[in-house]
Amino acid sequence: MRDRDTTQPVVEQRGKDTCRRDRPHRPADARRAVERAVTECPGPHGAAACDAGALSDAVLVASELTTNAILHGGGITDFRVDVVGPRVRPGVRLSVSDRSHDLPVAVPATDDRGRRRLGGRGWPIVCRLSREVRVADLPSGGKCITVVVPLS
């Protein structure tokens, strides 16, 4: 994937405390980017305040969104992470763009014959752990999913 194949992000980044990272190529890259954003972005005491469970939730959501973009969306075209509201309702805002216009769906755990299905649990996890979820079509094609995962 080349730079000319990327789309413009839906979420504009503003201010000095925004932690934008390079586009991840694997879910592990996204997880590390979230960890860096939370530990490096300024908060009341020099870093965004959150407990280990909240950080774990944000890392899991980043992993699910990037995995879905790779498996179902034709690849990651843009990735943004920043810490929002460091004092009141702090959270991690994640934006993941891909090439597909298809909306994410939750599929039942079993098929019509009662057999267990593999996968299909990521989107419900994302929705359950995020306080805001937005899916937007991009003018140049594809979509951007933006979520805010609470840090407290």
Side-chain angles (χ1 to χ4, degrees), residues 1-142:
M1 186 173 353
R2 293 181 290 227
D3 288 336
R4 68 183 175 92
D5 296 325
T6 62
T7 57
Q8 294 300 313
V10 169
V11 179
E12 293 181 20
Q13 305 297 316
R14 296 178 217 105
K16 291 185 212 175
D17 60 346
T18 297
C19 292
R20 181 174 189 265
R21 302 290 178 219
D22 293 329
R23 182 178 60 232
H25 298 284
R26 301 171 309 172
D29 300 334
R31 291 190 295 266
R32 282 191 293 276
V34 169
E35 290 169 347
R36 279 192 310 265
V38 170
T39 58
E40 292 176 5
C41 285
H45 304 291
C50 77
D51 60 37
L55 178 58
S56 178
D57 289 349
V59 166
L60 176 59
V61 169
S63 185
E64 291 294 340
L65 289 175
T66 53
T67 297
N68 288 346
I70 292 166
L71 292 178
H72 308 293
I76 301 165
T77 58
D78 196 31
F79 177 84
R80 303 281 175 132
V81 57
D82 63 331
V83 177
V84 295
R87 294 194 177 145
V88 180
R89 297 188 73 203
V92 173
R93 180 175 41 216
L94 299 162
S95 294
V96 179
S97 300
D98 63 39
R99 291 183 172 82
S100 174
H101 285 288
D102 296 338
L103 297 175
V105 295
V107 296
T110 58
D111 65 14
D112 55 353
R113 292 182 172 183
R115 295 178 294 199
R116 285 199 169 282
R117 290 186 176 155
L118 295 177
R121 306 260 189 321
W123 185 241
I125 289 170
V126 168
C127 293
R128 179 167 288 184
L129 295 177
S130 303
R131 72 172 179 234
E132 296 175 28
V133 178
R134 291 182 299 158
V135 181
D137 283 330
L138 297 172
S140 56

